[in-house]
Amino acid sequence: MSKIKVGDLLKLKGLISEKQLSLAMNQQKVTGDLLGDTFVKLGFVSSNEIVQALAEQEGLEFVDLKDYPISEEALKLIPKDTAVSAEFIPLDIDEGRLCIGIINPSNIHAVDAVTRLTQKQPKVYMVDRDIFHEVLGKAFFFLENPIQQRIDDTIKEIRATGAATGTALSSLTDLIIIDGIKRKASDIHINSTAEIVHVFYRIDGVLQHGHCIPMTAQKGIISRIKILSQIDIAEQRLPQDGSFTFTFLNKTYDIRVSTIPTIYGENVVMRVLAGSGRLLKIESLGFDDANTKKIKRLFSKPYGIILITGPTGSGKTTTLYSALREIDVIERNVLTVENPVEYKISLIKQTQVNEKTGYGFALAVRNFMRQDPDVILLGEIRDEETAKIAIRASTTGHLVLSTLHANDAITAIPRLIDLNIDRFQISSCLLAVISQRLVRKICKYCKTKYELDNDVILNLKAYGNPLTSAFKGTGCPKCNGTGYAGRTVIGEILVVDDEIRELIYANASTNTMKSAAMKKGMRSLMEEAIRKVSEGITTVEEVTRVIE
């Protein structure tokens, strides 16, 4: 029986349409790329989704390398050259057998090599081709170069000499950044105190302590970062901002730097931007089936405005772009203005704000109107001018998608009123508000069940949930002792129907609007969070940290 072609397979799975397949095949004739790669470049599917479909066709299990903790014991069993040449990655050891990830389902060389080296046939999984070489390179690099040990050795050298040399400082600064990359940190904090410098990493939205650095190295490390960022090395009394690129194992990371003066010297925060992330589907974000269907219906509307609210780092942009995948970009002209562009998609016209030239959100949307748009994605509504232009665009037959800072879905309405938007305009053009947060998921390797305290049980009952037990992670090497691994979204969706429109226009209180929305089926952030606790996805403590 012949294997089904990749295009037909993806169409069968509902991942692409006939129109998308036709366009991809036309582009392939010009570029000569593989058809699967063409789908990814066009933004129709992610390479991850293609591999999952192929794995299912081959009867193999799929492993997502992005979130998989590679076992050092497994890596030690295989020489790096063997893994590279035979194109497989050691993943773990299960019941005495080595688990390996491959990118080609017919890779018998990998199976033969592992069988020869371990005397046992491996368990074979399929992994994402796009990040295979990056993950393989990192895994062996960190095996051969223990970062903690190298940092400790450099600190010992600094303490032994009583002074920090240029070479030691340069090495220590690089190692701090590399360790942040290893830990998948979004931010690196260098905090000075009276006696010591502390390095913290923000991982899955929470700060974790990394290292203690002698004060003798403080000025040198900060000066090194300033030089890299091309900001004034002599200015220590005023806050400064800068950026630089950091290359590690052939991958470039954009590092944004912020310094502020404190009583113990300057404090530095480095935000690590790893380039375009993976474009996710709505189904994989963490919304339940009912809310996923709501979002899909909303983004198929021809005009109006949809807002996503939440604090910085709550995944608003990821949700916006996932929802964009529900829009037919072949038939509809989609333009975006962002700060910065986080996901690059071929058929979407994307622009980036440039404060130095005066190119901001409001100016971009004003000029978009001459570009025959159907859908406009506006990175953020932050002022009155931008809000008014966005509303105007949504009332003239365009679908406008944007983000707004508000605590929940309902309070987005008074927030728009604060920006001097007329109530009639809000009621007539606002389609929906999605409010969201990100919560950490329990590590599946150390997940345990426990009985809840009476106080917690009573608190949960107030939200209509009779839970008496829950799950938590006890902490293990795979989750770095935190009990958590990865994050998922919790969200509430306010759909603006006729009743809510009338309440907005009538200047009803937020409590009245919320009560009406809840009767129509809207579930609050807390209710959604408790649902995830009951399903063993997250913990009561995490919900309290993020929402209460």
Side-chain angles (χ1 to χ4, degrees):
M1 183 179 171
S2 60
K3 289 181 184 176
I4 189 169
K5 292 179 180 178
V6 66
D8 295 329
L9 177 64
L10 296 175
K11 202 170 73 168
L12 195 65
K13 294 279 182 191
L15 291 169
I16 61 168
S17 65
E18 182 62 43
K19 283 185 297 184
Q20 290 172 325
L21 175 58
S22 176
L23 192 152
M25 291 177 75
N26 286 336
Q27 179 165 316
Q28 185 200 24
K29 289 175 187 175
V30 178
T31 63
D33 292 334
L34 293 170
L35 188 57
D37 292 342
T38 305
F39 288 131
V40 174
K41 286 178 181 177
L42 285 166
F44 294 158
V45 292
S46 67
S47 61
N48 189 283
E49 289 162 353
I50 291 177
V51 176
Q52 285 189 58
L54 290 172
E56 194 175 318
Q57 184 188 22
E58 296 290 337
L60 293 172
E61 204 172 323
F62 171 79
V63 163
D64 192 345
L65 286 179
K66 183 175 172 285
D67 300 317
Y68 196 90
I70 307 295
S71 162
E72 284 195 1
E73 286 70 30
L75 289 170
K76 288 173 183 175
L77 292 176
I78 304 294
K80 179 183 176 182
D81 291 343
T82 302
V84 171
S85 62
E87 287 199 312
F88 71 91
I89 182 168
L91 298 171
D92 211 340
I93 299 169
D94 185 18
E95 297 177 349
R97 288 172 65 194
L98 184 65
C99 303
I100 63 168
I102 58 172
I103 54 178
N104 182 351
S106 57
N107 185 354
I108 58 171
H109 300 296
V111 176
D112 290 344
V114 173
T115 306
R116 189 175 63 253
L117 288 165
T118 65
Q119 305 304 309
K120 286 183 181 179
Q121 265 212 324
K123 290 185 177 181
V124 181
Y125 300 86
M126 278 196 72
V127 295
D128 189 346
R129 177 188 294 272
D130 260 21
I131 60 172
F132 170 78
H133 293 288
E134 179 192 335
V135 175
L136 180 66
K138 279 184 183 177
F140 278 104
F141 175 87
F142 290 124
L143 179 70
E144 296 161 2
N145 301 274
I147 295 300
Q148 185 64 56
Q149 186 60 52
R150 288 182 62 184
I151 289 174
D152 290 344
D153 290 344
T154 309
I155 291 171
K156 280 178 187 174
E157 180 189 330
I158 291 169
R159 290 182 63 192
T161 58
T165 63
T167 306
L169 288 170
S170 179
S171 174
L172 187 56
T173 306
D174 287 353
L175 288 169
I176 288 169
I177 296 170
I178 290 169
D179 196 28
I181 292 169
K182 178 178 184 278
R183 296 170 185 242
K184 299 176 184 174
S186 61
D187 300 87
I188 303 169
H189 292 241
I190 298 175
N191 299 348
S192 302
T193 64
E195 298 177 342
I196 208 159
V197 178
H198 292 281
V199 177
F200 288 87
Y201 296 102
R202 187 172 294 279
I203 301 162
D204 288 338
V206 178
L207 284 179
Q208 294 180 21
H209 187 263
H211 312 285
C212 291
I213 310 291
M215 274 302 285
T216 50
Q218 185 239 20
K219 287 186 178 178
I221 290 173
I222 291 172
S223 295
R224 166 76 176 153
I225 293 167
K226 283 183 168 183
I227 290 167
L228 289 170
S229 310
Q230 295 184 325
I231 56 181
D232 190 350
I233 191 171
E235 181 56 75
Q236 299 176 18
R237 300 163 300 173
L238 293 171
Q240 295 189 80
D241 293 315
S243 63
F244 65 94
T245 56
F246 185 84
T247 303
F248 175 62
L249 296 179
N250 299 318
K251 182 169 181 180
T252 299
Y253 298 82
D254 291 322
I255 312 287
R256 291 187 173 185
V257 177
S258 172
T259 72
I260 61 165
T262 73
I263 57 172
Y264 297 118
E266 288 180 283
N267 190 84
V268 175
V269 175
M270 293 182 280
R271 169 147 289 187
V272 183
L273 302 170
S276 294
R278 180 188 297 159
L279 194 60
L280 300 173
K281 285 180 72 67
I282 286 288
E283 290 86 351
S284 62
L285 295 178
F287 293 102
D288 68 1
D289 289 344
N291 279 343
T292 298
K293 286 174 184 173
K294 270 186 194 176
I295 294 170
K296 286 188 170 190
R297 279 199 304 272
L298 288 166
F299 280 80
S300 66
K301 300 283 186 183
Y303 55 85
I305 185 165
I306 300 171
L307 298 174
I308 300 186
T309 73
T312 302
S314 60
K316 299 187 294 293
T317 304
T318 301
T319 299
L320 273 180
Y321 267 96
S322 299
L324 272 187
R325 290 187 62 180
E326 301 303 318
I327 294 170
D328 186 346
V329 294
I330 296 175
E331 290 190 352
R332 302 179 79 183
N333 185 23
V334 181
L335 293 97
T336 80
V337 55
E338 305 160 69
N339 184 26
V341 171
E342 292 183 36
Y343 300 89
K344 294 173 184 173
I345 306 176
S346 180
L347 292 179
I348 292 176
K349 278 64 75 180
Q350 298 171 274
T351 64
Q352 190 163 296
V353 298
N354 188 332
E355 302 294 349
K356 289 179 181 177
T357 61
Y359 183 65
F361 290 117
L363 180 62
V365 176
R366 194 179 291 116
N367 284 279
F368 280 178
M369 303 307 286
R370 302 189 194 102
Q371 288 282 315
D372 184 30
D374 294 297
V375 181
I376 296 171
L377 187 151
L378 179 59
E380 183 184 353
I381 292 176
R382 58 171 71 168
D383 54 43
E384 182 180 333
E385 185 187 10
T386 309
K388 286 185 173 177
I389 289 171
I391 293 289
R392 195 176 303 132
S394 69
T395 56
T396 53
H398 307 94
L399 181 64
V400 178
L401 319 172
S402 190
T403 67
L404 184 74
H405 283 291
N407 288 332
D408 55 27
I410 291 291
T411 53
I413 294 165
R415 177 82 181 101
L416 287 171
I417 293 167
D418 286 344
L419 292 170
N420 287 323
I421 304 300
D422 182 78
R423 287 182 180 278
F424 173 75
Q425 288 183 309
I426 297 171
S427 63
S428 62
C429 70
L430 186 62
L431 293 174
V433 183
I434 302 167
S435 181
Q436 67 178 62
R437 302 288 188 277
L438 290 177
V439 291
R440 291 179 294 172
K441 294 189 291 186
I442 300 169
C443 171
K444 65 180 180 181
Y445 299 99
C446 60
K447 182 176 177 180
T448 55
K449 194 174 185 178
Y450 72 103
E451 298 302 312
L452 292 168
D453 294 338
N454 288 332
D455 290 347
V456 177
I457 292 170
L458 286 171
N459 192 29
L460 294 179
K461 278 184 178 176
Y463 293 96
N465 199 307
L467 275 183
T468 57
S469 62
F471 293 88
K472 64 181 177 182
T474 55
C476 66
K478 289 185 183 292
C479 63
N480 201 25
T482 63
Y484 297 97
R487 289 191 288 178
T488 187
V489 74
I490 53 171
E492 63 180 16
I493 303 175
L494 168 67
V495 177
V496 181
D497 59 9
D498 290 342
E499 183 182 353
I500 300 294
R501 282 193 192 93
E502 286 180 14
L503 290 172
I504 294 170
Y505 189 63
N507 197 16
S509 69
T510 53
N511 284 338
T512 303
M513 285 189 281
K514 186 170 185 177
S515 177
M518 299 283 271
K519 284 177 185 174
K520 298 264 179 129
M522 182 182 91
R523 294 190 299 277
S524 69
L525 283 168
M526 182 55 85
E527 286 175 322
E528 279 296 288
I530 293 171
R531 179 182 67 81
K532 279 192 159 55
V533 170
S534 67
E535 292 174 0
I537 296 169
T538 191
T539 65
V540 173
E541 292 78 12
E542 182 67 359
V543 168
T544 303
R545 180 187 72 83
V546 172
I547 297 176
E548 285 192 344

